[in-house]
Amino acid sequence: MYQLAAPASAEIEVKKSRFIGMVFPVASRAEAKQRLAELRAQHPGAVHHCWVLICDGDSGLDDDGEPSGTAARPMYNVLSHKSVSNILAVVVRYWGGTKLGAGGLARAYGQAVTEAMKVAELVAFEPMGERRLTFAFADEAAVRRLAEQRGAVVLAADYGEAVTLTLRIKLADADAFIADASDLLRGALTVRDPS
């Protein structure tokens, strides 16, 4: 799995319509919406701002008025073949006066993202997940030390009859971390995936 090192863009022209393909690294839907609002402000004369978001746990796509399936779906297909995540792809279209038909639109939107991805730098990405661990108060310092050693980030701590820590950890390391935490606490540990 990969993600972008930095934003990238490319422009193509098809029958006098301009298609500006842009890809951005993003961490959330909120960040993607903010970026999209900025692009709409930068390109007020464009007729369409089609987008695809593939983000850890939150994805979406929008044809922005183009016929259903002719813009966002081809864009998504390009990104899924590249195995990228945490990415917002936007194609801004300026109307050139000639209708392209469904096939022409699909090819143009897909090509705009393909061209942007050709100039993009990809870096390895490891999917992250959250785990919620509940244990006795006396064990909190030991669990926090283990989390720090393993690169897990404590997102929240809740104190009730026991301590519940919500951790963000690489999914590839989660099972080993849980096993080590259980060994450390002699099995006195409850683990849940946050919902």
Side-chain angles (χ1 to χ4, degrees):
M1 184 70 67
Y2 298 94
Q3 66 184 16
L4 293 174
S9 66
E11 183 175 329
I12 64 170
E13 186 175 309
V14 179
K15 294 186 180 178
K16 298 186 182 178
S17 280
R18 286 177 52 212
F19 293 84
I20 306 168
M22 297 169 273
V23 290
F24 304 93
V26 294
S28 67
R29 181 177 282 267
E31 184 181 349
K33 284 188 172 192
Q34 179 182 347
R35 177 69 72 169
L36 192 56
E38 291 168 2
L39 290 172
R40 287 183 192 279
Q42 290 170 8
H43 298 275
V47 292
H48 300 287
H49 299 82
C50 304
W51 58 269
V52 174
L53 171 66
I54 301 176
C55 199
D56 193 20
D58 197 6
S59 299
L61 47 94
D62 184 11
D63 289 317
D64 193 39
E66 291 284 27
S68 180
T70 61
R73 178 60 58 190
M75 294 164 60
Y76 173 81
N77 290 342
V78 170
L79 298 177
S80 65
H81 282 68
K82 298 284 186 183
S83 296
V84 292
S85 188
N86 293 347
I87 186 170
L88 172 67
V90 180
V91 176
V92 174
R93 179 183 181 193
Y94 285 90
W95 172 249
T98 303
K99 291 188 177 185
L100 302 179
L105 286 172
R107 283 187 296 278
Y109 279 100
Q111 184 183 355
V113 172
T114 297
E115 294 302 319
M117 290 300 291
K118 284 180 181 177
V119 297
E121 180 185 349
L122 299 178
V123 293
F125 164 72
E126 294 192 52
M128 303 290 282
E130 292 182 11
R131 297 293 184 269
R132 193 169 286 150
L133 284 63
T134 302
F135 48 85
F137 287 102
D139 296 322
E140 181 178 7
V143 173
R144 283 182 179 265
R145 267 193 308 277
L146 180 63
E148 185 177 326
Q149 291 167 356
R150 296 298 179 80
V153 177
V154 176
L155 299 176
D158 297 314
Y159 301 96
E161 292 180 19
V163 176
T164 300
L165 293 183
T166 303
L167 303 171
R168 185 158 181 82
I169 188 167
K170 292 177 185 174
L171 290 177
D173 298 340
D175 290 341
F177 175 81
I178 298 301
D180 289 348
S182 184
D183 288 348
L184 179 69
L185 303 181
R186 299 153 311 281
L189 173 71
T190 302
V191 180
R192 292 180 296 150
D193 292 340
S195 19

